[in-house]
Amino acid sequence: MDKYRHIQEAAYKANMQLPALGLVLFTFGNVSAADRDFGVFAIKPSGVPYNELSPDKMVIVDFEGKTVAGELRPSSDTLTHAVLYKHWPQIGGIVHTHSTYATAWAQSHRCIPIYGTTHADHNTIDIPCAPPMDDEMIRGNYEYETGFQIMNALSEKGLSYEEIEMILIGNHGPFTWGATPDKAVYNSAVLETLSQMALLTEQINPAVKRLKDSLIKKHFERKHGPDS
């Protein structure tokens, strides 16, 4: 297991950020950390409370979803992570939570509209919500199919995983990803904040308009453009 220690430690530290940031309750969430040279990732074990976690308890899984090392059962979402790692070569970390506000938007089957410059600092588009999975996929290998549900939803909207690093799954909850586990956790925290802001915005002004393009462009390029 020593050769996997670095991703076990990365996965452990990233998982411990979830309760610290208020993104999970009990065991409702997971982070994984990938090593592409070995073709594996470390992920939180299923059903283990955060205060009982340690690097040694992180389970090592390959990109086919098969356990390579570890005594515990990997997260129930492991196959979703495996599918995304296998098909998206540029990512090194994935987060899934049931954070309150992002999950509420997912349960409402709504994309999160871009209303303000905080949103535009991170994305130029509405945060997509994939439709609920169809019955055939649900009856099949559910966690495996969830990975394809994410990829198909982005593809249908003409988006790439490098263009946007967060999505909602209808009736389920949010997934985020990034080049590193820390970036994936950052994206998860940003998504939850944007979800809360959008809800409050619509409550304060139900007729609110989407942020105008000039402000979207200005704020995104200020953070991500050539002069950022």
Side-chain angles (χ1 to χ4, degrees):
M1 290 275 281
D2 284 351
K3 67 181 180 179
Y4 303 130
R5 184 70 181 183
H6 60 298
I7 54 172
Q8 286 182 304
E9 290 181 349
Y12 168 72
K13 290 176 182 176
N15 271 285
M16 295 308 290
Q17 289 185 63
L18 298 186
L21 291 167
L23 296 174
V24 297
L25 182 68
F26 303 122
T27 62
F28 301 173
N30 47 75
V31 186
S32 63
D35 183 311
R36 295 213 166 258
D37 291 334
F38 287 123
V40 299
F41 59 95
I43 192 166
K44 178 185 175 292
S46 179
V48 178
Y50 285 87
N51 62 0
E52 296 179 15
L53 291 179
S54 66
D56 290 337
K57 290 181 179 176
M58 299 296 112
V59 186
I60 306 300
V61 182
D62 68 18
F63 294 168
E64 299 298 327
K66 298 175 182 176
T67 297
V68 172
E71 299 299 321
L72 299 173
R73 183 165 58 91
S75 165
S76 59
D77 297 298
T78 292
L79 286 177
T80 306
H81 291 240
V83 166
L84 298 182
Y85 283 128
K86 183 176 180 179
H87 290 87
W88 291 351
Q90 301 303 317
I91 64 172
I94 298 170
V95 177
H96 172 52
T97 74
H98 293 264
S99 58
T100 302
Y101 291 93
T103 300
W105 282 88
Q107 291 177 173
S108 301
H109 301 181
R110 285 192 61 191
C111 300
I112 302 171
I114 182 167
Y115 286 136
T117 59
T118 310
H119 189 140
D121 283 340
H122 298 89
N123 291 302
T124 60
I125 58 175
D126 298 350
I127 297 163
C129 182
M133 197 179 293
D134 65 38
D135 290 345
E136 184 177 351
M137 293 173 76
I138 293 169
R139 286 192 297 267
N141 193 333
Y142 177 71
E143 289 78 15
Y144 179 79
E145 296 291 0
T146 298
F148 288 96
Q149 184 78 347
I150 291 169
M151 292 191 297
N152 291 342
L154 291 185
S155 177
E156 288 168 7
K157 292 178 180 293
L159 302 172
S160 74
Y161 71 93
E162 295 169 288
E163 182 179 2
I164 187 162
E165 297 180 330
M166 53 189 70
I167 195 169
L168 308 175
I169 302 293
N171 293 127
H172 190 172
F175 282 83
T176 64
W177 51 89
T180 65
D182 284 344
K183 181 62 189 308
V185 171
Y186 173 87
N187 288 334
S188 188
V190 166
L191 173 55
E192 179 66 0
T193 297
L194 297 179
S195 301
Q196 183 178 15
M197 288 179 172
L199 172 64
L200 294 172
T201 298
E202 292 191 356
Q203 288 177 334
I204 294 167
N205 179 8
V208 64
K209 302 292 187 184
R210 191 174 181 274
L211 186 65
K212 59 183 182 179
D213 289 343
S214 58
L215 276 174
I216 294 173
K217 185 173 187 293
K218 180 69 174 180
H219 276 262
F220 188 79
E221 289 187 353
R222 201 169 66 162
K223 294 284 187 180
H224 306 280
D227 298 323
S228 62

